[in-house]
Amino acid sequence: MASLASAAAPPGEAAAPAVADVPARAVTAGLLGPDRPVAGFLDTAGILRSVGALRAAFSGVPDVLHTFAAQACPLVPVLRLPAAGMRREVASPGELRPAPAAGFAPGRIVLDSPVKTGAELREALDLGVAVNADNLAEVGRIARLRSRGCSSVLGLRVNPQVGGGAVAATSTATGHSEFGVALRGPGPRSACWRRSTATGGTRLHVHVGSQGCPLPLIAEGVAAAHRPAAAVDARVGGRVTGLDIGGGPPVDFADERVTPTHAEYVAALREAEPALLDGRCRLVTEFGRSLLAKNGFLAARVEYVKEREDGGWRSPTRARR
């Protein structure tokens, strides 16, 4: 993974080459060639601008904690870029273990994996990593593994059941999603929160999906998890102090425009549930794709193209389909 400076360099600094010029320069520099057929390039300043836009969008929210979703690009040099002032969200042991090298202390990490082994849970709890349980069975496992004095912040994932987006495989808020505890009906809300607080849980975690999900759907899912929080507090006790809103805005890959923006995402949240942003409940975000997708590209060396008898061409990959 190579790094390229932003094409819009600050005053006084030399401007970076245009994206179209980078592959040729990469060949000259030896980054692309017969022995290095594929290379990735990142606009590092662009990533930091995206982080700045995210912060600006939430600037009016009294209590918000931003984490970077490591699955968007789990390479240590990349993770270091948005690390300043941000925490890290991980969903696997492979994403958790490089954390120290990337500058993340355990207390600055949130583990959201929906499927965790006992060893993974024990490691996270021993380190003091924040953990979101996926289901009530996992709440019980955490209770058995958690030692006295454990500093991990604990949460419980809920399924708001607001429906799926355009990509069924990544829609996680359908009526029968396999992730999280279903929220429909007053009974499950109280029962699940009673079990969670008994283990020390203080957060709720909700993840509607991102790619293929329109902003109103994402916002309604977050609102559906936020609305019962006060009622649950009054009925069960043990206040919901945090709401972890997984799944950032989708990315439009049709062109280079950033749409929807983080500001539009926040506006959708405000329209769906104004009280969500009043600071009474700390928000935890998990943005990844929306911070990186417009700030990098892959370049590959083409060995040859396959010619057709009619004079046209198509790639060998498509020819085999």
Side-chain angles (χ1 to χ4, degrees):
M1 183 71 70
S3 172
L4 73 106
S6 171
E13 295 184 14
V19 171
D21 298 331
V22 171
R25 296 195 178 202
V27 171
T28 301
L31 296 174
L32 274 173
D35 58 338
R36 293 183 175 181
V38 181
F41 299 86
L42 290 173
D43 181 345
T44 55
I47 294 173
L48 295 178
R49 281 200 306 275
S50 294
V51 173
L54 168 62
R55 292 189 180 284
F58 280 88
S59 61
V61 182
D63 194 5
V64 60
L65 182 66
H66 295 298
T67 70
F68 174 70
Q71 63 181 316
C73 192
L75 300 176
V76 169
V78 177
L79 295 173
R80 286 175 178 157
L81 290 174
M86 293 189 74
R87 302 197 180 194
R88 181 176 174 189
E89 184 269 336
V90 299
S92 71
E95 295 172 11
L96 173 61
R97 286 168 188 161
F104 291 86
R108 295 172 58 83
I109 302 170
V110 179
L111 175 63
D112 280 334
S113 171
V115 181
K116 312 176 191 70
T117 66
E120 291 167 19
L121 281 172
R122 188 178 295 106
E123 178 184 15
L125 295 169
D126 288 347
L127 287 172
V129 168
V131 177
N132 287 325
D134 176 76
N135 51 69
L136 296 180
E138 191 168 270
V139 168
R141 300 179 75 200
I142 290 173
R144 292 189 293 271
L145 292 172
R146 190 183 186 206
S147 62
R148 182 173 297 180
C150 175
S151 60
S152 295
V153 177
L154 304 179
L156 175 67
R157 180 167 179 170
V158 295
N159 175 12
Q161 298 177 291
V162 293
V167 185
T170 58
S171 296
T172 55
T174 61
H176 301 285
S177 173
E178 66 269 39
F179 303 127
V181 178
L183 273 185
R184 284 180 180 169
R189 291 200 294 267
S190 296
C192 73
W193 188 241
R194 186 179 292 109
R195 292 275 298 275
S196 184
T197 53
T199 311
T202 59
R203 286 180 183 166
L204 290 179
H205 175 217
V206 60
H207 195 305
V208 175
S210 53
Q211 201 62 22
C213 292
L215 292 187
L217 177 67
I218 295 174
E220 179 55 30
V222 175
H226 177 266
R227 287 171 189 147
V232 167
D233 290 345
R235 184 176 301 180
V236 180
R239 191 167 106 72
V240 180
T241 61
L243 182 60
D244 187 329
I245 51 175
V251 173
D252 182 1
F253 290 101
D255 55 44
E256 297 305 310
R257 294 178 301 159
V258 177
T259 177
T261 65
H262 291 117
E264 291 169 336
Y265 176 92
V266 173
L269 293 180
R270 181 172 285 108
E271 181 176 354
E273 182 73 358
L276 177 67
L277 307 177
D278 64 11
R280 283 181 288 180
C281 183
R282 162 171 277 192
L283 293 185
V284 181
T285 71
E286 302 173 1
F287 295 100
R289 180 192 286 114
S290 64
L291 297 176
L292 293 185
K294 300 290 187 176
N295 295 308
F297 64 92
L298 294 174
R301 182 175 184 270
V302 178
E303 290 276 349
Y304 68 97
V305 293
K306 181 178 179 179
E307 295 184 358
R308 298 190 314 208
E309 292 181 359
D310 60 4
W313 65 273
R314 55 182 172 175
S315 69
T317 299
R318 294 190 64 84
R320 287 195 297 268
R321 292 180 180 176

